[in-house]
Amino acid sequence: MPELPEVETVVRGLAQTVVGDTIESVWLGSKPEPLKSPAVVIERTLRHARIAAVRRMGKHIVIELDRAHARRPKVRRTRSKTSPGKDTAQFIVHLGMTGQLLVSKPDQELEKHTHLVAQLASGRELRFVDPRRFGRLAVHTRNGFETAGLEPLDVGFEIFVSLFRGRKTPIKSALLNQKLLRGVGNIYADESLFRAGVRPRCCAASLTRDQLRRLYDSIQQVLNQAIAAGGSSVSDYVNAQGEPGFFQFEHRVYGREGEPCLVCSTPVKRVVIAGRSSHYCPLCQK
DNA sequence: ACTATTTCCTGGATGC
DNA sequence: TGCATCCAGGAAATAG
């Protein structure tokens, strides 16, 4: 499941390979597509656009487009538009659970569930594949893309503490709430809570400053280690080059129900919190 | 203003 | 072997 480290890995891969390239044409699947913008708008915005940069916001991939040299329809403009940024746009990709954004050679076979193919001037293709269709595609032109929540790797400790003040919800749910922190998902929430020694069902507001400090440090550590390992490949996740990550081998509780805790050998427990499976060690986590 | 629950979707695993 | 059922989960929508 693509969470912050997986999205960051995809973004870095794209930044190295397709920045400076130009989208020549766009193909969109005909089935009900996972689009947040109308198909024609996506197609029109992407075609002839140059990829200026690729970055990440939470779990969203932000592809900055430069349309300054894009051919325009010969329509007389009603007024002279000189506002800065009028020739820029953003292509937003959310991978959902099973989404892949791949840079492929055109002769590579089209995977089933390919929803978008953008042909690049370099001869390669940018492809969006998503079997479960939880992913989303959108374009933003007028106002830049914005999304709530703070970046877990940028937030300071005092702000982090304030996020949970007065929250009656379990800490696990609070960590998954993208309006608080953006980018932490089920795997890294469980792994961070284990490393911090905090039970997932713990009421967020009841965490001591000490626990919050350990949680803050754990989140930074886990996310950074996962990025260094190229993310976790538990189901379909691969990077922009189609390669898996390796952090699944570093998981200490996620997906290890019944297996011995790596610290104390107590069997790892799995419970459901807010409809999400949550893994923890009943002895190590209080 | 929060919080909890439901919904979307398909492949893989499980059960009879 | 084959078919039905269940489960995974991010985030938006809905309900309380």
Side-chain angles (χ1 to χ4, degrees), chain A residues 17 29 85 162 181:
Chain A
T17 52
S162 72
L181 290 178

Side-chain angles (χ1 to χ4, degrees), chain A residues 72 76 79-80 88 97 136 138 156 170 173 184 197 242 258:
Chain A
R72 292 156 175 284
R76 179 168 314 196
R79 57 205 135 117
S80 67
T88 65
M97 280 193 59
R136 290 292 179 263
S173 301
V184 177

Side-chain angles (χ1 to χ4, degrees), chain A residues 11 20 39 45 47 57 69 75 101 103 115 119 125-127 130 136 144 150 155-156 182 204 206 272 284:
Chain A
V11 161
T45 307
R47 193 169 17 162
M57 287 176 75
H69 303 291
V75 175
L101 196 56
V103 180
H115 303 303
Q119 294 177 310
E125 294 180 345
L126 187 61
R127 299 178 182 180
D130 183 15
R136 290 292 179 263
L150 301 170
V155 69
R182 61 190 193 205
S206 76
V272 174
C284 293

